Amino acid sequence: MHYDESVKKRLRRVEGQVRGVLNMMETGAPCKEVVNQLAAIRSAVDRALALIVASNLERCLSETKEAGAAARDKAVREAVRLLVRSR
């Protein structure tokens, strides 16, 4: 599967945020600030995950267009399963 550059960019930003949190921990930042940053990281990862699943679903639906309703239903169920598993 081809991953969009915007998703990769989001994940690189998350990578930087994680390094920032580690630095905050090393310097003794207050718990509230660390938790706020970790919540932001989780939110960013969730958004990246949703974009990946949505993109995959779009691709699967276009590939199964001629395969019929059963194939489309299967693709949708798989996308929902991926989203549920990510939580």
Side-chain angles (χ1 to χ4, degrees):
M1 178 172 168
H2 171 75
Y3 295 97
D4 191 70
E5 279 303 314
S6 66
V7 174
K8 292 177 189 176
K9 185 177 179 180
R10 284 176 184 266
L11 292 176
R12 286 186 196 101
R13 190 174 310 126
V14 167
E15 181 181 30
Q17 286 177 296
V18 170
R19 282 194 304 272
V21 168
L22 289 170
N23 186 47
M24 290 171 71
M25 294 171 131
E26 293 293 326
T27 59
C31 173
K32 182 179 178 182
E33 291 178 23
V34 171
V35 170
N36 283 339
Q37 286 303 309
L38 288 172
I41 290 168
R42 180 174 46 199
S43 178
V45 169
D46 286 346
R47 286 191 305 270
L49 216 159
L51 286 172
I52 290 170
V53 171
S55 175
N56 183 58
L57 179 58
E58 287 175 13
R59 184 184 53 79
C60 288
L61 289 177
S62 68
E63 289 174 0
T64 61
K65 201 172 197 174
E66 288 109 29
R72 283 191 314 273
D73 290 348
K74 182 179 177 186
V76 170
R77 280 194 307 274
E78 177 66 15
V80 170
R81 187 184 66 75
L82 286 172
L83 285 173
V84 169
R85 184 171 50 171
S86 72
R87 295 304 306 156

